[in-house]
């Protein structure tokens, strides 16, 4: 078998260095596991072995020589020193710019840099990985050597990240997600050449992505609940897959140019590989939603933290800096009201600008596409690029969320509900992102395209009725009443000014507005394939959860709910938020809702 | 699997809603009667902590004797009500049932929960016996699924029942291959 020609000079760098003595640990441990160690041809055989395995020709794959241990790109050796120096930059800047230092801080910082750079080199030298027909193994550690193995059919997501420095050297960090919800991050290899990383991704997902594109979401009958989950059977691959993906350097081609799936056709203007359907790509106009994401708050926090460190390391007195002092004086001169307004306005402008910048940096050149092999592919990023590939058979639904500010300008965003991708804080920027803040119409279109079913995003939701509305008001107003009540208490007991509780009363109308909006948002529906839930006001979410992704129910009633004849219905799932809640459903409707969503499950427990 | 169910679920749902409402009945089996003792014991011991704190405070600060005695009295009354009412109430609520297809539990007292999980999605079945449980000859069973949100707990089963249930669930779960997600 010939080595793949794809990647050209890039690809040959790593294998070229492989057999030249830079692999002190490799062969010793690799040998026992491999009956036939491969020659020094580098990536080639291993890569081809992967291909053979994916072709579904089992015996052939087994008979092939075992894959060799590969290592990270030696160019990573250049990355570590720079990275660590950047991290210690505040301390160093203080020394260089201000010419003085707080005691021993700078020498320690330099020593720290030296140690971390040393550790980085050590890490590079001791890390190697191997992809065999049925598992991925990573060996790392110097004193404590560890081998992490992941069965290849457990690989659910592959994430390629490249920081600016990585990009300069054409490197990528690859993170292999195994779908273990409780493990925060999967297997991570920091520093492969980008070509090799892309090839590895193809290799890893090629095999598992064999079965028909979407067996899980939408298309299948909901009868899977109560019957065992059918493990995917690798289908026979066309002969085309035997040829290595040499079509274009650095490309992600899947060998067999099969006809595109039904869905949104590829826009003629987009140059992209065959077998790929672009579902969405960023339009520059969407940047207008940036200011409404408030993501800038975090950025500003980081920048201020950075500045603060420089200032404190260099013993600068911010009050002595000209512009800051001028601002301080100006604020002291004007009346309090004006000063407050000025500060608030300045803060708003700052947050808006930072949020917009953050939007551009995080989401520039965003593109969501579906590959014929049954994966969703998200690529984005201006400086740090990130490409996430997610198997569609792990997809259990889509969540469309509209935070209040974004909703005010008719924006929305989409994230995937997939097993192994637990959704939490920051999910909107993490691996499950399907669409950054964009027009809500676009968000609905993308959700529909990903689900392959228009109904979940268009179906009219069933409202939960006047009793649910009353509960929204009671809860919001009770919470809102705490503020004026507390202030009144302080007025009575601690001589606080009498106007304080009166001002505090303003929380009541705010609470009422919130309650009204929360009720307006609340609703659910059951479509042929999905349970659709919408709720929330500050962040309104419409979640479409595949009915066969529901792996249990929880019906909860508080004392008050029992009096009102309501019940909170919670569908539990292995994907996304793990639980999708329908608050305050009529008790009489709840049983039939659950029964229709997961037929047969409840049958023995139902009575009329 | 009946065809009408999957063809158009909403029609069915509407029909079900308008017809005599379907109701979810209670699970069949109660837990062991000894569970009442278990809950009383647990609650009672829990109340000892605030009571101890209040008594220590009373002894340390004898000047405000009346206030402290009032607080102490209130605590004792609340504790007595809790220990007296909660276990009986729980015993009336807590129930469980398994079929070859599903596990169904009901628990709580003021706030009540019903949980249903398909047997095919069960990942682990754990039995747990703390010191109180051992004292009373009881077992707690936790059934987990692939969802982080959905463990089902059955508290206060007697040993034999618990053992039988675990065996039964393990057998049926093993008969269902797949990764249960």
């Amino acid at each position: 078998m010939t080595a793949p020609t794809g990647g050209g000079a890039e690809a040959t760098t790593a294998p070229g260095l492989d057999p030249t003595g830079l692999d002190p640990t490799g062969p010793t441990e690799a040998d026992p596991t491999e009956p036939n160690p491969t020659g020094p041809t580098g990536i080639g055989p291993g890569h081809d072995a992967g291909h053979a395995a994916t072709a579904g020709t089992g015996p052939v794959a087994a008979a092939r020589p075992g894959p060799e241990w590969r290592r990270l790109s030696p160019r990573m050796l250049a990355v570590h020193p720079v990275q660590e120096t950047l991290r210690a930059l505040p301390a160093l800047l203080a020394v260089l710019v201000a010419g003085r230092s707080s005691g021993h801080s700078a020498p320690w910082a330099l020593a720290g840099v030296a140690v971390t750079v040393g550790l980085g080199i050590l890490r590079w030298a001791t890390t190697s990985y191997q992809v065999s027909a049925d598992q991925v193994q990573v060996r790392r550690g110097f004193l404590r050597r560890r081998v992490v193995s992941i069965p290849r059919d457990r690989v659910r997501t592959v994430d390629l990240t490249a920081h600016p420095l990585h990009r300069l050297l054409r490197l990528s960090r690859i993170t292999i997600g195994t779908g273990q919800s409780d493990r925060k991050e999967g297997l991570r290899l920091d520093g492969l050449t980008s070509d090799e990383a892309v090839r590895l991704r193809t290799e890893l997902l090629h095999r598992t992505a064999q079965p028909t594109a979407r067996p899980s979401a939408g298309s299948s009958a909901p009868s899977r609940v109560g019957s065992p989950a059918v493990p995917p059977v690798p289908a026979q691959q066309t002969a085309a897959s035997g040829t290595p993906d040499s079509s274009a350097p650095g490309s992600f081609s899947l060998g067999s140019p099969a006809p595109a799936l039904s869905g949104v056709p590829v826009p003629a203007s987009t140059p992209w590989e065959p077998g790929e359907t672009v579902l969405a790509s960023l339009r520059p106009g969407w940047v207008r939603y940036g200011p409404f994401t408030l993501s800038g708050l975090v950025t500003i926090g980081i920048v201020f933290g950075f500045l603060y460190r420089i200032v404190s390391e260099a013993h600068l007195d911010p009050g002595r800096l000209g512009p800051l002092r001028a601002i301080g004086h100006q604020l002291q001169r004007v009346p309090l009201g004006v000063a407050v307004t000025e500060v608030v306005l300045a803060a708003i402008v700052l947050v808006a600008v930072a949020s917009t910048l953050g939007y551009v940096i995080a989401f520039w050149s965003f593109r969501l596409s579906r590959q014929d092999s049954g994966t969703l592919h998200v690529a984005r990023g201006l400086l740090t690029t990130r490409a996430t590939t997610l198997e569609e058979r792990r997809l259990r639904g889509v969540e469309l969320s509209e935070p209040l500010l974004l909703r005010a300008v008719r924006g929305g965003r989409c994230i995937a509900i997939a097993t192994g991708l637990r959704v939490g804080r920051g999910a909107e920027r993490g691996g499950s992102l399907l669409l950054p803040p964009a027009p809500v119409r676009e968000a609905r279109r993308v959700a529909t395209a990903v689900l392959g079913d228009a109904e979940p995003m268009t179906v009219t939701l069933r409202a939960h009725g006047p009793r649910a509305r009353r509960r929204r008001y009671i809860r919001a107003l009770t919470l809102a009443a705490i503020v004026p009540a507390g202030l009144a208490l302080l007025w009575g007991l601690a001589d606080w000014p009498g106007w304080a509780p009166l001002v505090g009363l303003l929380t009541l109308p705010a609470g009422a507005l919130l309650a009204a909006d929360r009720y307006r948002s609340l609703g659910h529906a059951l479509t042929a394939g999905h349970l659709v839930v919408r709720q929330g006001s500050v962040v309104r979410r419409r979640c479409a959860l595949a009915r066969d992704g529901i792996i249990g129910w929880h019906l909860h009633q508080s004392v008050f709910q029992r009096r009102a004849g309501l019940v909170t219905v919670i569908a539990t799932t292995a994907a996304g938020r793990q639980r999708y809640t329908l608050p305050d459903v009529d008790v009489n409707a709840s049983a039939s809702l659950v029964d229709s969503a997961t037929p047969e499950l409840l049958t023995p427990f139902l009575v009329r | 699997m009946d065809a009408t169910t999957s063809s158009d679920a909403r029609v069915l749902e509407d029909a079900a809603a308008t017809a005599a409402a379907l109701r979810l009945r209670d699970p069949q089996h109660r837990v062991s009667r000894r569970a009442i003792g278990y809950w009383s014991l647990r609650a009672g011991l829990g109340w000892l902590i605030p009571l101890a704190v209040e008594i220590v405070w009373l002894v340390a600060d004898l000047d405000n004797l009346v206030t402290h005695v009032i607080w102490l009295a209130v605590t004792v009354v609340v504790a007595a009500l809790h220990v007296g009412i909660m276990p009986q109430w729980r015993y009336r609520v807590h129930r469980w049932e398994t079929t070859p297809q599903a596990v169904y539990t009901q628990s709580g007292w003021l706030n009540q929960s019903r949980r249903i999980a398909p047997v095919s999605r069960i990942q682990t079945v754990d039995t747990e016996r703390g010191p109180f449980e051992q004292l009373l000859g009881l077992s707690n069973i936790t059934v987990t699924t692939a969802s982080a949100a959905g463990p089902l707990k059955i508290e206060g089963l007697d040993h034999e029942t618990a053992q039988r249930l675990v065996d039964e669930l393990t057998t049926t779960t093993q008969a269902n291959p797949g990764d249960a997600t």
Side-chain angles (χ1 to χ4, degrees):
Chain A
M1 188 71 76
T2 54
T5 55
E10 293 311 319
T12 52
T13 313
L17 281 171
D18 247 355
T20 57
L22 276 172
D23 193 1
T25 52
T28 50
E29 282 197 31
D31 282 346
T33 61
E34 302 168 21
N36 295 317
T38 49
T41 29
I43 293 176
H47 182 51
D48 284 345
H51 260 286
T54 58
T57 50
V60 180
R64 295 189 59 80
E68 89 287 18
W69 287 89
R70 308 181 219 168
R71 45 182 44 262
L72 306 179
S73 165
R75 271 178 264 163
M76 273 313 284
L77 293 175
V79 174
H80 283 300
V82 181
Q83 245 173 7
E84 294 307 329
T85 315
L86 278 178
R87 205 165 289 164
L89 201 61
L92 296 177
L93 267 186
V95 180
L96 297 175
V97 177
R100 54 195 165 138
S101 131
S102 57
H104 305 291
S105 170
W108 280 119
L110 283 173
V113 170
V115 169
T116 39
V117 167
L119 286 177
I121 293 169
L122 198 64
R123 191 161 62 222
W124 177 85
T126 53
T127 304
S128 54
Y129 68 98
Q130 181 199 50
V131 181
S132 65
D134 47 69
Q135 61 178 357
V136 190
Q137 284 186 301
V138 173
R139 270 197 317 212
R140 55 163 53 117
F142 176 60
L143 294 174
R144 210 156 52 102
R145 291 198 57 76
R146 281 185 306 170
V147 180
V148 183
S149 310
I150 295 180
R152 278 179 63 172
D153 57 359
R154 288 294 161 87
V155 174
R156 297 178 184 185
T157 58
V158 175
D159 188 311
L160 259 56
T161 308
H163 295 295
L165 197 61
H166 280 84
R167 290 179 64 192
L168 205 66
L169 297 164
R170 283 199 262 178
L171 295 169
S172 286
R173 182 175 71 200
I174 189 163
T175 309
I176 301 164
T178 54
Q180 283 294 313
S181 296
D182 34 294
R183 211 189 301 169
K184 214 176 163 196
E185 47 192 60
L187 208 58
R188 178 174 286 187
L189 291 169
D190 195 356
L192 300 182
T193 60
S194 296
D195 292 336
E196 203 181 337
V198 166
R199 210 171 304 136
L200 182 60
R201 173 175 67 189
T202 315
E203 221 175 301
L204 289 175
L205 290 174
H206 204 173
R207 172 191 172 84
T208 49
Q210 290 280 337
T212 50
R214 325 172 31 75
S216 63
S219 56
S220 67
S223 64
R224 220 185 86 196
V225 168
S227 67
V230 183
V233 184
Q236 286 294 323
Q237 180 78 346
T238 53
S241 70
T243 52
D245 48 344
S246 55
S247 51
S251 73
F252 183 24
S253 138
L254 288 168
S256 54
L261 286 179
S262 63
V264 182
V266 188
S269 60
T270 316
W272 200 239
E273 293 82 16
E276 180 159 36
T277 317
V278 175
L279 300 180
S281 54
L282 186 92
R283 282 187 215 122
W286 293 357
V287 171
R288 68 179 182 273
Y289 293 103
F292 300 96
T293 58
L294 291 188
S295 58
L297 282 174
V298 183
T299 320
I300 289 176
I302 292 170
V303 169
F304 269 98
F306 189 75
L307 288 178
Y308 178 79
R309 267 182 68 195
I310 294 182
V311 165
S312 65
E313 291 278 347
H315 291 286
L316 292 175
D317 180 6
R320 279 167 50 198
L321 286 174
L324 281 179
R325 200 169 45 189
I327 291 171
H329 280 310
Q330 201 271 334
L331 287 178
Q332 276 167 8
R333 270 201 310 276
V334 298
L336 182 70
V338 179
V340 169
T341 317
E342 279 177 3
V343 169
V344 168
L345 278 179
I348 288 175
V349 169
L350 203 63
V351 169
V353 169
S355 301
T356 312
L357 279 177
Y359 186 98
V360 171
I361 288 171
F363 302 125
W364 198 250
S365 68
F366 164 87
R367 173 166 49 198
L368 167 70
S369 54
R370 167 180 284 149
Q371 258 127 21
D372 281 354
S373 52
T375 53
L376 287 175
H377 185 79
V378 176
R380 65 194 170 86
L382 179 67
L383 302 174
T384 296
T385 57
R386 187 162 177 188
T388 309
T389 308
L390 164 73
E391 268 192 279
E392 274 194 280
R393 69 191 172 103
R394 305 292 176 188
L395 196 71
R396 295 289 181 275
V398 168
E399 174 180 322
L400 186 151
S401 65
E402 302 161 89
L404 197 57
L405 276 178
L406 213 51
R407 185 142 57 101
V409 291
R410 292 174 180 279
R413 58 192 180 193
C414 268
I415 60 174
I417 299 174
T419 57
L421 278 180
R422 192 185 269 189
V423 176
R425 271 166 37 213
E428 284 75 17
R429 294 174 164 264
S432 49
L433 173 122
L434 289 179
L435 188 75
V440 71
R441 217 153 24 99
E442 181 72 8
R444 270 194 218 109
R445 191 188 63 74
V446 166
T448 301
V450 169
L451 292 171
D453 179 5
E455 222 184 342
M457 289 297 138
T458 53
V459 67
T460 317
L461 300 177
R462 188 180 298 239
H464 287 197
R467 282 168 296 163
R469 186 208 308 264
R470 193 164 63 230
R471 267 178 60 78
R472 300 275 84 71
Y473 275 99
I474 291 171
R475 294 175 68 166
L477 291 178
T478 311
L479 273 176
I482 290 174
V483 176
L487 288 171
L489 211 65
L490 286 169
W491 168 63
L493 297 177
D495 283 341
W496 275 44
W499 53 261
L502 293 179
V503 172
L505 283 176
L506 286 176
T507 54
L508 291 177
L513 283 176
L514 188 73
D517 191 46
R518 277 173 63 80
Y519 177 71
R520 209 165 32 228
S521 296
L522 188 60
H524 73 270
L526 205 56
T527 71
H530 294 85
L531 173 68
V532 185
V533 189
R534 190 181 69 180
Q535 65 158 317
S537 172
V538 178
V539 182
R540 186 169 79 179
R541 298 192 160 95
R542 185 181 182 127
C543 305
L545 177 65
R547 279 159 63 171
D548 52 6
I550 298 172
I551 61 171
W553 294 93
H554 177 187
L555 310 173
H556 184 86
Q557 280 186 302
S558 69
V559 193
F560 305 111
Q561 278 178 311
R562 272 188 292 145
R563 285 167 56 103
L566 296 172
V567 60
T568 296
V569 177
I570 302 160
T572 62
T573 173
R577 295 180 190 280
Q578 312 283 305
R579 47 158 61 212
Y580 290 86
T581 307
L582 290 71
D584 297 333
V585 179
D586 186 338
V587 160
N588 295 321
S590 65
S592 52
L593 169 71
V594 171
D595 187 42
S596 335
T598 52
E600 293 189 338
L601 177 63
L602 245 55
T603 317
F605 312 124
L606 289 174
V607 288
R608 265 189 204 282
Chain B
M1 172 74 214
D2 99 36
T4 54
T5 323
S6 64
S7 62
D8 197 339
R10 270 180 311 153
V11 172
L12 189 86
E13 195 195 346
D14 287 330
T18 46
L22 275 177
R23 211 166 49 76
L24 201 57
R25 63 167 169 77
D26 287 344
Q28 226 163 23
H29 313 292
R30 284 182 194 278
V31 298
S32 165
R33 248 205 111 73
R34 291 197 297 272
I36 299 177
Y38 165 67
W39 288 315
S40 313
L41 198 63
R42 215 175 50 174
L45 285 172
W47 279 105
L48 283 184
I49 296 163
L51 283 174
V53 169
E54 279 174 22
I55 289 169
V56 167
W57 197 358
L58 182 147
V59 172
D61 178 31
L62 286 171
D63 298 341
N64 299 316
L65 193 62
V66 180
T67 327
H68 284 308
V69 168
I70 290 174
W71 275 117
L72 197 59
V74 169
T75 313
V76 168
V77 169
V78 172
L81 283 176
H82 183 230
V83 175
I85 294 173
M86 181 276 286
Q88 295 289 339
W89 196 337
R90 271 192 190 279
Y91 180 69
R92 293 226 306 269
V93 174
H94 280 240
R95 283 165 166 273
W96 61 276
E97 184 174 348
T98 59
T99 69
Q101 280 79 42
V103 184
Y104 176 26
T105 66
Q106 177 172 295
S107 63
W109 55 300
L110 281 173
N111 298 339
Q112 298 179 2
S113 279
R114 282 170 164 174
R115 289 169 183 270
I116 303 133
V119 166
S120 59
R121 304 305 180 96
I122 291 176
Q123 287 205 322
T124 63
V125 183
D126 305 337
T127 4
E128 182 204 334
R129 286 159 62 183
F132 302 151
E133 287 91 331
Q134 288 184 26
L135 196 71
L136 293 161
L138 295 172
S139 289
N140 298 336
I141 291 184
T142 308
V143 177
T144 60
T145 60
S147 170
L152 279 74
K153 285 186 180 162
I154 312 176
E155 281 186 343
L157 292 177
D158 63 67
H159 280 336
E160 302 82 64
T161 318
Q163 200 51 54
R164 215 174 49 237
L165 181 58
V166 170
D167 290 345
E168 192 185 310
L169 286 177
T170 326
T171 319
T172 38
T173 310
Q174 276 167 355
N176 284 295
D179 70 350
T181 57

